[in-house]
Amino acid sequence: MKYLVMKYSLRTLLPLFVVIFLLLLGIPILTKSVIVEVIEDTLKPVTEHEAMRSSPETEDLFFHPDLLGKNMRDEAVIQAAREALIAPAREGPYYLDNPRQKFYSQHGQDKHVKEIFRDMQKGGFFFEVGALTGESLSNTLYLERELGWTGVLMEPTPVSYHVLKSKNRRAHIMRACLVPDTSYREPVFDIGREAWGNTLVDAEKTSKSVRVPCYPFYSILAALGNPVVDYMSLDVEGVELKVLKSIPWDDVKIRVITIEIFLLPEGPEALRVFMEEKGFKFIKQLDQDYLFINKQLSRGLNIKVMK
């Protein structure tokens, strides 16, 4: 969706309204020169820099062209990821469209994760890739709101991210995507189709695409101190397996993960084989997602769900 930036904002015109109001009241404290100066300053158009800062398309996009191609373990890449992570909200209410709703996942992912962590529900850490608005179809809002979890919410598209930022979630939010390899990149994100058709394409930017910083998964975790990820939700529109293959599994700990298989070109079976090679146990299919549990990190998890 293309956003237009207004040439003059209400904030910019406010001083002019004040001048006119005072003149109507007959207050003679303003000289002609002062009035002319206020009007001239007011009618100056918003600069391109100001317009970009106020545009949802460029909101919280932090580019680093000097880092292109740098490895995921490069300290500069890790530092860039750290700076791109917007800190969690610490106070205030959630701003939800459906505050009385309890579970938000499309296929019951949050319900299954709740049951899996039945004996360890407080203080968990999640990582949701493809977080959309942070409410609609969210796989982590229940965990955060009801069980006190925190984590990372990644969303690259401008409209969804703008709404996500307004929800006051108690998790880091990040206007970025996961790169399907081990180096920092800034590919073009196609937003011209329906949400399920959004894809990363390394092509010329058009009116229906936006360039987005793309980090390796390890770099983001390292920026946060490499915490154990209790639950990861991976939805990256077809490059899930490539992202998973780029993860240094000897350095990263993920206990439970749901992975979308809907657009996976390699097919669900290839994903299942790879995850089992990495020590995960396939639990069940949740419509368009596969649910896996890390066998080496399954202590304390609800074994009944695993059978």
Side-chain angles (χ1 to χ4, degrees):
M1 180 181 293
K2 187 71 175 175
Y3 282 86
L4 298 177
V5 179
M6 295 182 64
K7 189 175 183 180
Y8 306 110
S9 68
L10 180 59
R11 175 183 61 80
T12 306
L13 293 175
L14 185 58
L16 180 59
F17 293 153
V18 172
V19 170
I20 295 173
F21 179 71
L22 292 175
L23 288 174
L24 290 175
L25 291 178
I27 298 177
I29 60 172
L30 295 175
T31 65
K32 181 179 179 181
S33 61
V34 172
I35 294 173
V36 171
E37 184 178 347
V38 171
I39 292 175
E40 288 180 347
D41 288 343
T42 298
L43 294 181
K44 287 180 181 178
V46 177
T47 66
E48 182 178 353
H49 177 66
E50 291 172 332
M52 288 183 68
R53 286 179 59 190
S54 62
S55 169
E57 287 193 355
T58 57
E59 183 177 16
D60 293 339
L61 286 177
F62 302 97
F63 293 110
H64 300 275
D66 56 314
L67 298 181
L68 291 173
K70 295 276 188 181
N71 184 264
M72 61 184 177
R73 298 183 185 275
D74 192 296
E75 187 55 40
V77 175
I78 295 172
Q79 179 60 29
R82 187 176 294 118
E83 294 172 356
L85 287 159
I86 308 299
R90 299 297 182 187
E91 57 185 18
Y94 286 97
Y95 298 107
L96 304 177
D97 295 324
N98 300 290
R100 294 184 179 181
Q101 191 171 330
K102 191 172 184 180
F103 297 101
Y104 293 84
S105 293
Q106 184 176 15
H107 305 301
Q109 291 93 329
D110 48 7
K111 292 181 180 179
H112 283 83
V113 173
K114 171 184 177 293
E115 288 302 315
I116 290 172
F117 287 93
R118 187 172 59 188
D119 299 325
M120 191 225 77
Q121 293 189 347
K122 298 293 182 180
F125 186 91
F126 58 74
F127 200 114
E128 185 168 13
V129 187
L132 294 177
T133 66
E135 178 180 359
S136 177
L137 309 183
S138 174
N139 289 341
T140 59
L141 181 54
Y142 171 84
L143 302 173
E144 176 187 309
R145 192 180 176 204
E146 303 293 335
L147 306 179
W149 287 36
T150 189
V152 176
L153 301 166
M154 291 188 72
E155 178 54 45
T157 58
V159 177
S160 294
Y161 178 81
H162 186 69
V163 178
L164 166 62
K165 192 174 181 180
S166 72
K167 297 295 180 179
N168 212 32
R169 292 281 304 261
R170 272 60 167 174
H172 287 88
I173 60 173
M174 194 176 192
R175 176 86 188 274
C177 57
L178 288 185
V179 70
D181 56 45
T182 59
S183 302
Y184 173 81
R185 304 193 184 281
E186 294 177 359
V188 169
F189 197 82
D190 181 10
I191 59 173
R193 293 179 284 174
E194 297 295 332
W196 61 266
N198 292 337
T199 55
L200 286 170
V201 291
D202 196 6
E204 183 178 354
K205 186 175 180 180
T206 69
S207 61
K208 293 183 179 181
S209 62
V210 59
R211 191 168 297 279
V212 179
C214 219
Y215 292 88
F217 177 68
Y218 173 80
S219 302
I220 302 171
L221 275 193
L224 293 166
N226 199 17
V228 174
V229 179
D230 293 297
Y231 168 59
M232 182 174 183
S233 171
L234 184 60
D235 178 359
V236 285
E237 309 302 334
V239 294
E240 286 83 359
L241 188 52
K242 291 180 180 179
V243 167
L244 292 165
K245 287 182 176 181
S246 73
I247 295 175
W249 291 99
D250 290 338
D251 302 321
V252 169
K253 295 181 179 180
I254 301 173
R255 304 185 72 192
V256 178
I257 185 170
T258 54
I259 306 166
E260 187 179 65
I261 60 173
F262 179 48
L263 297 173
L264 202 61
E266 300 89 345
E269 186 58 27
L271 172 67
R272 181 169 177 169
V273 169
F274 174 80
M275 294 301 291
E276 289 177 346
E277 289 176 351
K278 295 303 177 181
F280 284 81
K281 178 180 176 60
F282 173 75
I283 303 304
K284 62 179 65 178
Q285 180 175 349
L286 304 174
D287 199 280
Q288 298 176 5
D289 280 18
Y290 271 6
L291 170 64
F292 295 92
I293 288 179
N294 190 325
K295 290 186 288 187
Q296 293 184 345
L297 301 175
S298 62
R299 183 176 180 180
L301 301 182
N302 184 6
I303 304 300
K304 292 182 180 179
V305 177
M306 298 171 59
K307 293 181 178 180

